[in-house]
Amino acid sequence: MKNRHLLKESIEALLEKYPFLGAFFEDNKLEVEGSGHLTFPEFLQGFDREAVEENAMDLESLEEGLVTYVEQMLSFLGLDREEGVWELTILAGRDKSGNPEGFDEITIRRSDIVSIVGPTGSGKSRLLADIEWTADGDTPTGRRILINGETPDKKWRFSSGNRLVAQLSQNMNFVMDLTVREFLELHARSRMVEDEEAIIGKIIREANHLAGERFDPDTPVTSLSGGQSRALMIADTAILSTSPIVLIDEIENAGIDRKKALALLVGEEKIVLMATHDPSLALMADQRIVIRNGGIHKVLPTGDAEREILAELAEMDSYIADMRTRLRQGEKLSKA
Amino acid sequence: MQLVTVSGPPSSGKTSVILKSIQALQSRKLKVGVVKFDCLYTDDDILYEKAGIPVKKGLSGSLCPDHYFVSNIEEVVQWGRKMELDVLVTESAGLCNRCSPYIKEVKAVCVIDNLSGINTPKKIGPMLKSADIVVITKGDIVSQAEREVFASKVHSVNPRSITMHINGLTGQGAYELSTLLHDGKENLDTVKGKQLRYPMPSALCSYCLGETRIGDDYQMGNVRKMEMGDGHEK
């Protein structure tokens, strides 16, 4: 630990320099108020044996923990300011039977959308895990992942703050008992964004733009409809998540404008991977990865003929959406 | 043989995580066995057996489960050696969130889940705070934001650990964990003389010894009273 000098500074000075330490003290249940003039080790010495036992504290590891926490947060914040990830490359490995995959390499850039198709159990989870782990020929597929054209730093594997991949899936729910605003505040704070209010306002605006029905910032997240929840999750992931890559596992076509949702993610310069069997979603991608028997069978660009089909599908979707709206409004349905 | 101690709150997904990681270890031709510690009941041993994994179970019954663990761990290690295991995994539930069965210089993994609530990392003691690897499960059913907030809470109580997200159903992430569990460097013959990472709570009162009656007259030994205030507060 090179930054042991932190243990010689007063808590006051530390908090001044590293405001994020507030969360460290709070989560470790350390009441530092009124002890600002002490160094952290001096503060810890204030606990007698009984208090240490009572609270199951480990003084030594708290000291080291503080230093490590500051180091990691600094690198986390520093990384935020850097350019970050602008492209991801997958180098081919092999499928479950050991045969080479049906492509050599695929590079996906910021604001690209790639869809992933293939039967359940064909290896979609494995592909995602390879990306998240930045596989280096050391996973069962033997694939390699490059970031910005290079073998990535192993920090992507172990850092808790900088996950490479954010996931959005059909089964996801909100479980916290908070209103939309409180929920976003909590997330924003964990990310230490500077202009909390502005970002929260933007997320709510965007989510309402995606959702069929508007919601209020004071609605509990657990009371949102399916469409509203998905809209909020997507807007939040697009705007507030640090992860440069977003993996979507289907977006149900109800209560949310999926085209706008993808546009929002792309607009926030995410690399979007989308597992789906819904043709109107799959064809929105620039190319699609076909998975079979644990390996990538082929990579197909979305062709012109397919784009024409996409336009037809969009018409059908809007026909269904129109019927849904009229049904909801209590109308009797009839052919146009 | 390498020893790995896995613990975590009940129903956090320990067994699923261990099963999926063992599959990955087995694919590397390693022999892995499990010893499952629990208090009153477990049928997880059947799951391990079904997967062809050598398994023993220990139920602590009327004893404190973690005390029971420490009193038996050396015998467990010797069983693992006799079975010629490459990796021996012990699994135990952290029942009161206070103790941890971790041993110095022995890899310690804590499994907790996203559904357990945002304040859970604060509530769990050395079991979470002194683990080398923290595995967070059930990420597939909560939102990305909740996953990120939960991970940041874990990070602030145990910044030195490696945090991993594992899906116990699909096994996503388990292969990666398995590479951290067996590095081939460690060869353990005995845990005699090793130390626990954190002392267990000291308590010996009349209730530990089988007293069932309630009231001051029956309370002896290490007894402490709650502060209920002076009776004037509303």
Side-chain angles (χ1 to χ4, degrees):
Chain A
M1 267 189 313
K2 50 184 190 296
N3 289 311
R4 283 205 75 91
H5 63 85
L6 292 173
L7 298 175
K8 296 200 177 101
E9 295 184 43
S10 74
I11 291 178
E12 232 160 40
L14 287 176
L15 277 171
E16 172 97 357
K17 244 187 276 178
Y18 313 111
F20 51 76
L21 271 175
F24 176 83
F25 292 132
E26 197 199 317
D27 289 339
N28 282 293
K29 293 177 289 190
L30 300 170
E31 290 272 353
V32 291
E33 228 181 275
S35 310
H37 56 290
L38 301 174
T39 67
F40 189 53
E42 281 167 358
F43 169 74
L44 291 178
Q45 273 162 23
F47 291 91
D48 58 17
R49 232 193 95 209
E50 198 180 330
V52 167
E53 232 174 78
E54 188 62 28
N55 299 306
M57 297 165 75
D58 188 339
L59 300 184
E60 204 176 309
S61 77
L62 275 170
E63 278 183 20
E64 279 177 42
L66 178 124
V67 177
T68 314
Y69 187 78
V70 171
E71 285 170 358
Q72 289 175 349
M73 288 316 269
L74 286 179
S75 82
F76 169 69
L77 293 169
L79 200 109
D80 231 7
R81 281 192 288 272
E82 277 171 37
E83 280 276 326
V85 176
W86 62 87
E87 64 176 39
L88 166 83
T89 306
I90 306 168
L91 302 182
R94 51 194 178 268
D95 68 12
K96 270 180 205 158
S97 321
N99 304 312
E101 293 185 287
F103 77 113
D104 294 322
E105 64 169 84
I106 170 173
T107 294
I108 313 167
R109 297 185 179 80
R110 276 190 186 182
S111 303
D112 280 355
I113 304 176
V114 171
S115 57
I116 303 171
V117 296
T120 307
S122 60
K124 283 183 279 189
S125 290
R126 185 64 255 163
L127 174 61
L128 180 69
D130 281 349
I131 296 172
E132 206 165 23
W133 189 245
T134 58
D136 192 15
D138 55 356
T139 66
T141 59
R143 287 188 191 116
R144 291 182 58 211
I145 302 293
L146 306 182
I147 290 178
N148 304 336
E150 290 170 16
T151 301
D153 195 311
K154 292 284 180 277
K155 69 168 182 252
W156 290 110
R157 293 188 169 183
F158 302 128
S159 133
S160 67
N162 300 304
R163 308 305 296 196
L164 201 49
V165 182
Q167 268 177 278
L168 285 165
S169 95
Q170 203 75 302
N171 306 328
M172 284 176 187
N173 291 294
F174 291 118
V175 292
M176 283 181 201
D177 268 329
L178 295 173
T179 66
V180 171
R181 184 194 304 282
E182 289 165 341
F183 177 79
L184 293 173
E185 279 168 2
L186 190 64
H187 190 198
R189 235 164 270 155
S190 84
R191 287 267 295 99
M192 280 167 295
V193 294
E194 277 166 21
D195 198 350
E196 220 174 79
E197 271 306 305
I199 289 219
I200 292 171
K202 185 176 174 195
I203 294 172
I204 294 176
R205 223 171 23 252
E206 290 292 349
N208 272 321
H209 184 59
L210 304 181
E213 287 178 288
R214 294 184 63 83
F215 59 85
D216 198 69
D218 296 320
T219 318
V221 286
T222 46
S223 313
L224 297 173
S225 75
Q228 289 170 332
S229 296
R230 276 187 282 282
L232 180 59
M233 282 183 202
I234 291 170
D236 170 81
T237 301
I239 297 164
L240 205 44
S241 170
T242 41
S243 307
I245 302 169
V246 178
L247 182 108
I248 301 171
D249 192 358
E250 295 282 4
I251 312 177
E252 205 179 298
N253 190 21
I256 182 166
D257 186 327
R258 300 185 295 178
K259 207 171 166 185
K260 282 186 198 159
L262 288 179
L264 173 64
L265 289 165
V266 164
E268 294 291 327
E269 304 200 319
K270 298 286 185 187
I271 292 170
V272 181
L273 296 167
M274 179 169 59
T276 181
H277 294 141
D278 183 329
S280 42
L281 212 50
L283 296 181
M284 278 184 213
D286 312 298
Q287 42 187 345
R288 65 181 179 274
I289 291 176
V290 182
I291 304 216
R292 189 182 290 175
N293 190 30
I296 294 178
H297 179 56
K298 53 189 170 185
V299 180
L300 295 174
T302 306
D304 289 337
E306 286 178 331
R307 288 191 200 283
E308 275 173 41
I309 295 174
L310 178 62
E312 281 174 35
L313 289 169
E315 270 173 45
M316 292 183 214
D317 280 345
S318 80
Y319 181 73
I320 295 172
D322 181 44
M323 291 296 167
R324 186 184 289 125
T325 311
R326 287 163 58 187
L327 203 62
R328 184 181 284 152
Q329 287 164 354
E331 288 177 36
K332 227 168 137 75
L333 302 187
S334 60
K335 283 199 179 180
Chain B
M1 185 182 71
Q2 176 140 18
L3 176 62
V4 180
T5 53
V6 179
S7 69
S11 303
S12 57
K14 294 180 292 298
T15 306
S16 296
V17 167
I18 295 172
L19 276 168
K20 298 282 183 195
S21 308
I22 291 181
Q23 276 173 14
L25 289 167
Q26 285 173 334
S27 73
R28 287 160 57 199
K29 307 272 178 288
L30 294 166
K31 192 173 178 198
V32 191
V34 176
V35 176
K36 165 89 188 187
F37 285 90
D38 219 312
C39 186
L40 293 176
Y41 176 78
T42 181
D43 52 11
D44 288 343
D45 50 323
I46 300 170
L47 292 174
Y48 289 117
E49 243 162 42
K50 262 193 198 159
I53 300 164
V55 61
K56 284 274 171 205
K57 75 171 161 184
L59 293 178
S60 62
S62 63
L63 298 178
C64 161
D66 288 307
H67 287 226
Y68 180 76
F69 172 90
V70 201
S71 322
N72 283 285
I73 186 65
E74 174 61 16
E75 286 78 0
V76 163
V77 167
Q78 295 316 320
W79 170 78
R81 287 184 64 202
K82 202 178 76 199
M83 300 295 289
E84 296 181 327
L85 302 179
D86 298 302
V87 183
L88 170 60
V89 179
T90 66
E91 178 191 344
S92 51
L95 297 169
C96 64
N97 291 340
R98 167 61 169 76
C99 286
S100 77
Y102 306 143
I103 301 164
K104 285 183 184 166
E105 299 137 38
V106 171
K107 197 151 282 174
V109 181
C110 176
V111 181
I112 54 174
D113 73 274
N114 274 299
L115 282 182
S116 62
I118 201 70
N119 286 320
T120 300
K122 248 188 190 178
K123 290 181 196 165
I124 302 178
M127 181 167 78
L128 173 62
K129 291 176 185 165
S130 64
D132 302 311
I133 301 171
V134 179
V135 171
I136 305 178
T137 58
K138 303 185 193 174
D140 54 327
I141 44 180
V142 302
S143 65
Q144 177 67 24
E146 282 158 296
R147 276 196 298 282
E148 290 182 13
V149 172
F150 194 82
S152 82
K153 298 271 175 190
V154 168
H155 177 239
S156 57
V157 299
N158 189 350
R160 294 173 306 159
S161 67
I162 292 171
T163 315
M164 303 197 64
H165 297 258
I166 294 185
N167 181 332
L169 297 177
T170 63
Q172 187 183 318
Y175 180 87
E176 288 71 14
L177 174 65
S178 78
T179 62
L180 303 179
L181 297 186
H182 184 267
D183 47 23
K185 285 178 210 145
E186 196 183 309
N187 196 7
L188 183 110
D189 290 331
T190 176
V191 284
K192 256 188 214 167
K194 284 196 186 288
Q195 277 189 310
L196 286 172
R197 292 194 185 188
Y198 199 83
M200 297 187 167
S202 51
L204 190 65
C205 70
S206 40
Y207 296 106
C208 299
L209 300 169
E211 179 61 79
T212 53
R213 289 168 297 179
I214 298 169
D216 285 342
D217 291 350
Y218 310 107
Q219 295 168 355
M220 275 176 289
N222 197 348
V223 173
R224 195 181 318 151
K225 297 294 188 183
M226 283 168 75
E227 277 177 37
M228 305 299 287
D230 56 7
H232 292 300
E233 79 261 73
K234 281 206 168 160

